[in-house]
Amino acid sequence: MHTEICPIVVMLKKLLLAILLFSSMVPLLGQSDFRDGFIITIENDTIYGSVDFRTNTKNYKSCLFKDESGKMEYFHDQIKGYGLVNEKFYMSGVKENTFVEILVLGPISLYRYNETFIANKGEETLELTSENIEKKVKGRTEIKRSNKWKGLLNYLIADCLSNPAEITAKLDFSEKDITKTIVKYNRCAGVDFIEMKSDIPWTEIDLGVIVGISKSDIKISDATLSEYIPESYQSIFPMAGIVVSVASPRILKSLAFQTEFQFSSSNYSAFLETFPPAFHETFIDLRTISIPLSFTYSLPENKFGWFVQGGANYDFNIRNKVETYTDNIYTDVVFSFIDENPFKIRKVGFGIFGGIGVYKTFKKIKINLTGRYLYKPYFSDLVTSNSSNSLFSINLLIIKI
Amino acid sequence: MKNFTQVILLSVCLVLLTIRCNEYDFSPREYPRIKTLPVTEVSNSEATFHAEFIYRGDFEVIEYGFVWDNTGDLKTQYENKITFSDNIKNDRYTAKVSDTFTPGNRYYVKAYIQTNEHLVFGQPVEFRNL
């Protein structure tokens, strides 16, 4: 039982340490990020300056605006709206006591406030929401999402689009699906309209290369082998591969899913001297294809941006050779032996990793520099042992955008 | 598509750079270290033995060669032995020996090195005349 639980406890402790480390950096990362923007006054004047790039929750509440006259915080009753150039636009007066994000302006206008979409057509304003509904079926409680919003949307588009029920039946309650439907209606209506974030893609797939250097530590703790097998092995080795990053900048610019295909070749050796005089030298030779799958959360880029990363790692060892060279010494005579399989490194391994990094975007490429910690428990096939592999790596990613 | 090909080609080059030769970094000792390699060309009357230094050091080698028998026991005196007497500088050496190797029987060969202070035997390697 102890053997089973111990690596997981170690892993959790290290993960906790990483989270604490990151938490301590949050105040540093949460500094203001003013970008080109504007405000529209109650008198309909547009004043250009810079607007603090913050989370939507804060943006609904107020706008932090800076120009030559200084920094000001504006609330919904002080301005008609504000915007970050090529990013997001907010206006007041649509919903009480708050700003809302503008998605589409036209025959049907669409706004967003948290998880509520607000559609305005002429004099009519409808709120589209999708709440959880509890239903009791045969004594069991089932939770379903409300589809009432589909009926409302159906009603709004029915005067121009044919088969509205068929259109809305296929939709998810997402910014992407609802915006596309409203845009389709506005096109059908043949009146000018503005889709606010039309330049920002819904899905963005970027490809790049990764190179890195890893410091790896293998621990093998086994009572039956400890007489001649060292417990700890270290290696520093390079790694290279390709990176695929998938994001939806239009919905959430800060979050991306990232996968990599890495190749590395690593050699480890450790040495043990025993009595009666004998030297035991163990070598581990690995060639590994690694597939890390992770989510990255990026903070807004100023001179450069910060990001954190976390995920799971799958390893396939295409080579996993272990050998122990033993020299038994009898005064002036040495007898050598080779154990070609003192223990086995698993062909397939899983681990978890977390990391922190900085990025800088140039015209055609984005460069990331990350530090990652990867922990792989159950590294060896030895049933009676605690075995693990922990790696700290520094990686450089060059992603074509 | 062009970008994709460029990225793939670049990553293949980077991967090739990470590949290292499969050479262990053997630690030095107070004696040279020898490894017996697999036997080749085994027949009823002949076999070819091979060995390589895994740590040569700058020891003066007085004698080196191979010993073989059908037990693989730990001992220092062998009836079957082939010897060379020079201070070998090569990393590897080979010897073609003449003996009766009965088909189906197991035999064991060890490389050896004699210096002024140590007699070092490589690990036994089993072979058969199939």
Side-chain angles (χ1 to χ4, degrees):
Chain A
M1 193 67 182
H2 171 77
T3 314
E4 290 288 316
I5 289 172
C6 205
I8 297 167
V9 172
V10 171
M11 185 170 72
L12 289 173
K13 274 184 184 173
K14 287 179 177 172
L15 196 64
L16 193 66
L17 194 71
I19 291 167
L20 286 174
L21 186 73
F22 178 67
S23 308
S24 67
M25 293 183 76
V26 167
L28 184 76
L29 304 177
Q31 288 173 349
S32 298
D33 175 25
F34 281 91
R35 298 181 182 193
D36 289 348
F38 59 88
I39 54 166
I40 300 167
T41 64
I42 299 289
E43 295 79 28
N44 276 331
D45 292 328
T46 304
I47 302 170
Y48 291 94
S50 46
V51 172
D52 194 8
F53 186 92
R54 302 179 300 172
T55 60
N56 259 347
T57 316
K58 286 183 180 171
N59 286 336
Y60 294 139
K61 195 181 158 200
S62 67
C63 160
L64 268 178
F65 181 76
K66 198 167 72 172
D67 65 359
E68 292 150 354
S69 57
K71 195 158 77 173
M72 263 294 279
E73 184 171 15
Y74 291 102
F75 294 87
H76 64 92
D77 53 351
Q78 294 172 300
I79 52 173
K80 278 194 170 174
Y82 69 96
L84 289 127
V85 176
N86 297 328
E87 301 265 0
K88 290 183 171 192
F89 304 90
Y90 296 85
M91 69 184 281
S92 59
V94 175
K95 189 175 170 66
E96 274 184 24
N97 304 326
T98 184
F99 287 107
V100 292
E101 187 188 352
I102 308 168
L103 300 177
V104 184
L105 288 176
I108 298 182
S109 296
L110 185 68
Y111 312 94
R112 182 170 188 168
Y113 177 76
N114 288 323
E115 292 308 305
T116 301
F117 295 96
I118 301 161
N120 174 267
K121 187 180 176 186
E123 298 296 308
E124 204 160 18
T125 300
L126 299 172
E127 289 198 359
L128 312 180
T129 54
S130 179
E131 304 94 2
N132 286 333
I133 303 168
E134 284 189 11
K135 259 189 178 180
K136 286 210 169 184
V137 182
K138 292 176 185 173
R140 284 191 306 178
T141 307
E142 283 184 1
I143 297 171
K144 279 190 173 181
R145 301 281 288 179
S146 153
N147 274 337
K148 201 179 159 188
W149 64 273
K150 284 189 179 180
L152 295 173
L153 193 57
N154 200 348
Y155 161 73
L156 286 171
I157 62 173
D159 62 340
C160 191
L161 296 175
S162 54
N163 300 322
E166 208 173 286
I167 294 170
T168 53
K170 295 173 190 165
L171 301 181
D172 286 330
F173 189 73
S174 65
E175 184 180 317
K176 185 180 178 179
D177 279 10
I178 295 172
T179 304
K180 277 187 171 177
T181 309
I182 298 296
V183 166
K184 200 173 175 183
Y185 174 88
N186 287 343
R187 268 203 195 107
C188 171
V191 182
D192 287 345
F193 69 94
I194 305 165
E195 187 186 355
M196 301 310 282
K197 298 189 282 187
S198 58
D199 291 341
I200 306 170
W202 287 108
T203 311
E204 195 174 74
I205 300 173
D206 296 319
L207 199 64
V209 291
I210 178 171
V211 285
I213 189 152
S214 298
K215 185 187 177 297
S216 172
D217 192 355
I218 293 174
K219 300 267 187 223
I220 303 285
S221 169
D222 185 282
T224 57
L225 292 174
S226 60
E227 283 178 15
Y228 70 104
I229 297 291
E231 285 192 358
S232 180
Y233 304 82
Q234 278 89 34
S235 179
I236 294 175
F237 56 89
M239 167 279 292
I242 58 170
V243 190
V244 182
S245 172
V246 183
S248 181
R250 188 126 165 209
I251 296 171
L252 195 55
K253 199 178 179 182
S254 52
L255 195 70
F257 172 76
Q258 189 170 297
T259 186
E260 294 156 25
F261 299 88
Q262 304 172 353
F263 177 82
S264 63
S265 175
S266 55
N267 290 94
Y268 304 76
S269 68
F271 174 81
L272 197 68
E273 195 174 345
T274 55
F275 190 84
F279 294 109
H280 309 278
E281 195 165 22
T282 299
F283 297 92
I284 300 173
D285 180 15
L286 300 177
R287 283 189 191 161
T288 309
I289 291 171
S290 301
I291 305 175
L293 303 166
S294 63
F295 283 99
T296 60
Y297 181 81
S298 307
L299 294 161
E301 185 177 0
N302 204 343
K303 281 181 181 169
F304 55 84
W306 287 87
F307 68 94
V308 286
Q309 182 174 29
N313 184 82
Y314 168 84
D315 272 354
F316 182 72
N317 290 313
I318 49 178
R319 184 183 179 90
N320 58 343
K321 195 175 169 191
V322 184
E323 284 186 316
T324 299
Y325 286 67
T326 296
D327 288 352
N328 290 319
I329 301 162
Y330 302 91
T331 320
D332 57 352
V333 181
V334 180
F335 290 103
S336 304
F337 296 92
I338 300 174
D339 184 345
E340 289 183 340
N341 196 13
F343 59 88
K344 261 189 179 175
I345 301 289
R346 285 178 193 267
K347 271 267 178 209
V348 174
F350 290 93
I352 58 163
F353 74 97
I356 188 162
V358 288
Y359 69 93
K360 174 93 184 157
T361 310
F362 296 92
K363 267 186 182 175
K364 287 184 176 175
I365 57 165
K366 182 178 171 184
I367 293 181
N368 291 8
L369 186 68
T370 71
R372 290 182 195 168
Y373 177 78
L374 164 65
Y375 183 77
K376 296 183 264 184
Y378 312 114
F379 195 62
S380 156
D381 267 345
L382 288 164
V383 180
T384 55
S385 75
N386 282 329
S387 59
S388 64
N389 179 209
S390 49
L391 287 101
F392 178 74
S393 62
I394 301 284
N395 309 290
L396 181 74
L397 289 83
I398 303 168
I399 298 168
K400 214 165 168 78
I401 50 175
Chain B
M1 196 61 196
K2 194 182 164 192
N3 290 347
F4 182 76
T5 314
Q6 282 173 346
V7 168
I8 295 294
L9 280 174
L10 181 59
S11 46
V12 167
C13 293
L14 292 169
V15 164
L16 289 174
L17 286 175
T18 68
I19 298 175
R20 294 192 289 186
C21 298
N22 177 30
E23 283 181 3
Y24 294 151
D25 192 11
F26 288 95
S27 59
R29 301 276 161 80
E30 291 172 348
Y31 48 85
R33 299 173 70 184
I34 191 84
K35 182 180 182 180
T36 317
L37 298 175
V39 177
T40 59
E41 299 164 36
V42 186
S43 69
N44 290 349
S45 59
E46 282 182 338
T48 305
F49 301 147
H50 307 269
E52 74 172 336
F53 285 94
I54 55 177
Y55 171 64
R56 175 62 180 84
D58 53 4
F59 303 99
E60 187 185 353
V61 174
I62 297 165
E63 188 184 302
Y64 63 96
F66 296 94
V67 292
W68 68 97
D69 65 8
N70 55 9
T71 67
D73 291 343
L74 289 186
K75 56 187 181 183
T76 54
Q77 299 301 318
Y78 284 83
E79 284 179 19
N80 302 316
K81 184 175 183 179
I82 184 163
T83 297
F84 304 99
S85 302
D86 61 85
N87 186 15
I88 181 171
K89 299 290 180 197
N90 294 342
D91 290 338
R92 288 181 174 225
Y93 63 89
T94 295
K96 191 167 192 170
V97 300
S98 298
D99 195 0
T100 303
F101 298 111
T102 308
N105 283 6
R106 290 164 196 257
Y107 297 92
Y108 301 88
V109 61
K110 289 178 196 165
Y112 81 93
I113 321 156
Q114 176 76 65
T115 65
N116 286 319
E117 292 176 352
H118 289 93
L119 171 61
V120 182
F121 288 97
Q123 93 288 3
V125 167
E126 184 189 308
F127 67 100
R128 286 191 210 191
N129 174 14
L130 297 172

